[in-house]
Amino acid sequence: MLKSEDNFLLSLGVFKVETYESNTRKKTLKAIKDAKEKRNVTVCDTFEDYLKAVSE
């Protein structure tokens, strides 16, 4: 689509453009920090303990 067509359709209200801010990077860094500090994580001694933890 040409830029002028985009502007024309936007002016008619045919469609609108919504923007949002992604917090993915912020959430990832928080998860890494939590894991290092052993917050909000489950620590398992064996693989069987892990399987029990994830099945709950």
Side-chain angles (χ1 to χ4, degrees), residues 15-42:
F15 64 91
K16 63 180 179 177
V17 177
E18 294 182 4
T19 60
Y20 68 95
E21 290 187 29
S22 174
N23 290 327
T24 305
R25 179 176 165 79
K26 187 176 180 180
K27 288 179 183 178
T28 302
L29 293 174
K30 183 182 181 314
I32 292 169
K33 183 179 177 183
D34 286 350
K36 285 181 179 178
E37 297 174 2
K38 294 191 176 19
R39 278 190 310 214
N40 301 322
V41 295
T42 302

